[in-house]
Amino acid sequence: MAEKIGFIGLGVMGNGMARNLLKAGFDVTVWTRDAAKAETFKGLGASTAATPKALAAACKLVISCVPDAAAVHGIALGEDGLAAEGWKGGLLVDCSTIAPFEAQEIATSLKEAGADFLDAPISGGKKGADEGTLTIMIGGEEAVVARAQPAFAAMGKNIHHVGPQGAGQALKACNQLMVAVNLMGVCEAVAIARAAGIDPKVMREVVSTGTGRSGVLEGHGLRYLEGTLQGGFRAALMKKDLGIATAVGAHYGRYQPAAGLAHQLMTGLCNAGHADLDNAALGLLYDKLNGWQGDAS
Amino acid sequence: MAEKIGFIGLGVMGNGMARNLLKAGFDVTVWTRDAAKAETFKGLGASTAATPKALAAACKLVISCVPDAAAVHGIALGEDGLAAEGWKGGLLVDCSTIAPFEAQEIATSLKEAGADFLDAPISGGKKGADEGTLTIMIGGEEAVVARAQPAFAAMGKNIHHVGPQGAGQALKACNQLMVAVNLMGVCEAVAIARAAGIDPKVMREVVSTGTGRSGVLEGHGLRYLEGTLQGGFRAALMKKDLGIATAVGAHYGRYQPAAGLAHQLMTGLCNAGHADLDNAALGLLYDKLNGWQGDAS
C-alpha cells in the first residue's frame, strides 16, 4: 500500500506537485495557512492538518516546497514543527532550494528526532510542476531515496540521485550558477550586436545553431529581447540562489570569479528595483550601463 | 557559367572548404607556400598560382581562410597581394576571424583597387568544413553577397547575411564571447560538484536536461572532464577571438565585465603554457587555482 503523504508549500511549484500526487492516487494531507487553498485541496480529495506537528502525526512522509532555509527550518524544527514531539520513522523530502550545509544541518536535527531527510530541489518551472515533468536532484541515503521514489515518480520525469546529503542542493547550485553566468554572456553579446548594427534577435537565432548556444540564450535571451519580464523566475530568487552557489564555493575554498560577478550583478539588479522581474531582466541593468535607450529589441 | 574561384589558406578549415568547392564543380585555383599541399590539390583537379597577385589575375573571386588580420592584409594588400596591380571587378571573401574594423579597413582599401570584400567568418569546426555544413556569418552589401552565394552554398549549411561590412565578424565575436563566458560557468560548476562529492560527469548530464544547459557544457565540458584536449580549437585562437570581442566592446564603449574576465583567464591559460591545447583546457587553469590533483574526471 502506498504511503500517506503530507505536503507543505502550495505555491507556484507546490500546487502542481501536490495535485499530481493526488492524481497518482496518493492519500495526501496538506498544511497551509491559506484557508482558500485548504478548501481547494479538500475539493480535490486531500485532507488538511492544523499544524506541521499534526501533519507529522498523520503522515510519516512529508514533502516541502517553500521559499528559503528559514521556512524549512521552521516547518521541521519549529515549536509546532514536524519533529516537535519527535518523529520516529518520519521522512521529510525538501524540494526547496537552500544551501547544502543548511540541508545537512536540518538532516542532523531530524535524525536526532528519529526521522530521515532528503534534499530534493527541482528544476523545470511551473510548467514542469503542473505536468509532472520536473527534474529532481536528490541528495541522501540510497534506502531513503527508494522509500520516496513513488512520490518522485508522480511529480517528475528526470529523477537523479546524485550523491550524499546536500548533493542535490549542490547540483542545483551548479545549474543556477551556469544559468546566471551564461546570462551575462547573452547580455554582453546583445550589446555588441546592437553596437555593430546587427539585429540582436538575428544574433540569437544564428548563435543558437552555433557553439555559443545555450538554454539561456534561447529562453532568457528571448524574454529579454521581447521585454516579457513579468512573472517567471524572479531576480530575487536568482540572487538568493547565487548567494548559495558562492557560499558553497567559499565553504570549500573554490575559485569562482564568474559566479561572484554574476552574484554582484544580480544583487545590483535587485537593488535597482527589479527584484520581482524575471531574472532575464539582468539585460535591463546592462542596458542602463550601456546607455541603451532603444525599443525592446 | 559558374565563376572561377581562387582559394588561399588550406589549413584545418580551408582544406575541407576548398575540396567542397571542387566537389561542387567549381574551377578552383589555389595559392599555397606548401608544395605538398599544392600537389595534393592539383591531384584533385585544382590549378595553382605562384602568388596572390597571380591568383587575382586568374580569378575574380577569391576566398581566404587564414589565422589573423595580418595574414589577410598581406594577401589582399601586400607587395604580391591580390590588389598589387589593382583588381577591377574582384571580390575577396574572407572566412578568417578578424576584428570588424580590420575587415572594414581592408574593404576600404580593396574598394580603392576596384574590388569588393565580404567578411564571412565560419563556425562548425573541422567536421563542418569537411562535410560542407558550416555556419557562415556574412557582412557586406546585398548584391556582393548574392555574387558569392553559390560558393557559400558549396561550403556551408547555415548561411546568414547579418548586416553591413564587419557585421559577420561582430556576430562571430558574439558567438566566441558566449562560448568563453559559458566555459567559465562550466569550470566553476565542476569545481563545486567535485567539492560536494558529486561526480562532475553526472552533474554535466543532469544539467544538460535543465536550464543551465549549453553547447559548451556538452562539448567543452566533456573534453575537459575526459582530458581530451589535444587538437580542437586552440586556446591561443580563443584568446585572439576574445581580444577581438573585448576590442569591439571597447570601441563602442560597451560594458562587458564577463567577457573581460574570460579574456584574462584565457590569456593566463596561454601564458601558463597551454596555448596549443583545446580551449576547454581552461578547466586545467581552474584545477590549478582550486588545488585539484585528482584524475581527469
Side-chain angles (χ1 to χ4, degrees), chain B residues 30-78:
Chain B
V30 303
W31 173 70
T32 170
R33 287 195 187 89
D34 183 327
K37 280 185 187 167
E39 283 310 308
T40 300
F41 273 87
K42 271 191 201 169
L44 294 168
S47 307
T48 60
T51 59
K53 186 169 76 175
L55 191 69
C59 310
K60 291 290 186 190
L61 196 171
V62 172
I63 298 171
S64 57
C65 191
V66 294
D68 56 30
V72 183
H73 200 273
I75 288 162
L77 306 167

Side-chain angles (χ1 to χ4, degrees), chain A residues 175 188 211-212 215 255 258-259 290, chain B residues 175 188 211-213 255 258-259 290:
Chain A
N175 184 78
E188 297 182 22
T211 44
Y255 174 76
N290 281 319
Chain B
N175 184 77
E188 298 183 20
T211 45
R213 71 184 181 280
Y255 173 76
N290 281 318

Side-chain angles (χ1 to χ4, degrees), chain A:
Chain A
M1 202 185 100
E3 206 168 357
K4 284 184 71 176
I5 297 182
F7 202 100
I8 298 178
L10 300 167
V12 173
M13 301 297 284
N15 177 64
M17 294 159 72
R19 284 169 187 259
N20 283 324
L21 289 166
L22 286 163
K23 260 188 230 161
F26 284 99
D27 183 350
V28 177
T29 304
V30 304
W31 172 69
T32 170
R33 287 195 188 88
D34 183 326
K37 280 185 186 167
E39 282 308 308
T40 300
F41 274 85
K42 271 192 201 169
L44 294 167
S47 307
T48 59
T51 60
K53 187 169 75 175
L55 191 70
C59 309
K60 292 289 186 190
L61 196 172
V62 172
I63 299 172
S64 56
C65 192
V66 294
D68 56 31
V72 182
H73 201 274
I75 288 162
L77 306 167
E79 200 179 335
D80 283 322
L82 297 168
E85 297 181 353
W87 194 27
K88 207 164 153 43
L91 166 57
L92 175 61
V93 176
D94 181 40
C95 296
S96 318
T97 297
I98 66 176
F101 44 84
E102 291 167 335
Q104 288 157 352
E105 282 169 15
I106 292 166
T108 300
S109 297
L110 281 176
K111 187 64 91 184
E112 289 165 10
D116 286 318
F117 180 85
L118 294 175
D119 51 298
I122 51 181
S123 176
K126 183 180 185 306
K127 189 168 182 288
D130 289 346
E131 297 176 358
T133 57
L134 292 169
T135 292
I136 309 178
M137 297 153 268
I138 308 160
E141 292 165 25
E142 192 69 48
V144 182
V145 176
R147 176 176 170 191
Q149 194 62 41
F152 288 137
M155 301 186 297
K157 187 177 157 199
N158 297 299
I159 298 158
H160 304 277
H161 179 203
V162 295
Q165 201 84 71
Q169 295 295 352
L171 204 145
K172 178 77 188 279
C174 290
N175 184 78
Q176 300 301 80
L177 185 163
M178 284 188 276
V179 167
V181 169
N182 294 356
L183 181 55
M184 293 191 295
V186 169
C187 293
E188 297 182 22
V190 165
I192 287 184
R194 280 179 178 147
I198 302 168
D199 179 344
K201 290 180 181 171
V202 171
M203 182 279 287
R204 175 181 162 275
E205 278 165 30
V206 174
V207 175
S208 289
T209 71
T211 44
R213 71 184 180 280
S214 67
V216 169
L217 181 61
E218 289 165 35
H220 292 64
L222 189 66
R223 299 196 296 280
Y224 165 32
L225 293 175
E226 294 196 334
T228 50
L229 299 169
Q230 301 295 330
F233 186 69
R234 293 190 298 128
L237 290 176
M238 181 53 92
K239 184 188 94 171
K240 181 204 72 167
D241 291 0
L242 289 169
I244 291 172
T246 52
V248 171
H251 177 74
Y252 294 111
R254 289 302 176 268
Y255 174 76
Q256 43 179 192
L261 178 58
H263 185 210
Q264 291 301 319
L265 288 174
M266 200 57 73
T267 300
L269 176 67
C270 291
N271 292 349
H274 297 308
D276 289 332
L277 292 181
D278 185 296
N279 64 107
L282 187 66
L284 302 184
L285 180 61
Y286 271 89
D287 287 353
K288 191 78 178 172
L289 297 173
N290 281 319
W292 176 256
Q293 313 247 329
D295 60 20
S297 71

Side-chain angles (χ1 to χ4, degrees), chain B residues 16-37:
Chain B
M17 294 158 72
R19 284 169 187 259
N20 283 323
L21 289 166
L22 286 162
K23 261 188 228 161
F26 283 98
D27 183 350
V28 177
T29 304
V30 303
W31 173 70
T32 170
R33 287 195 187 89
D34 183 327
K37 280 185 187 167

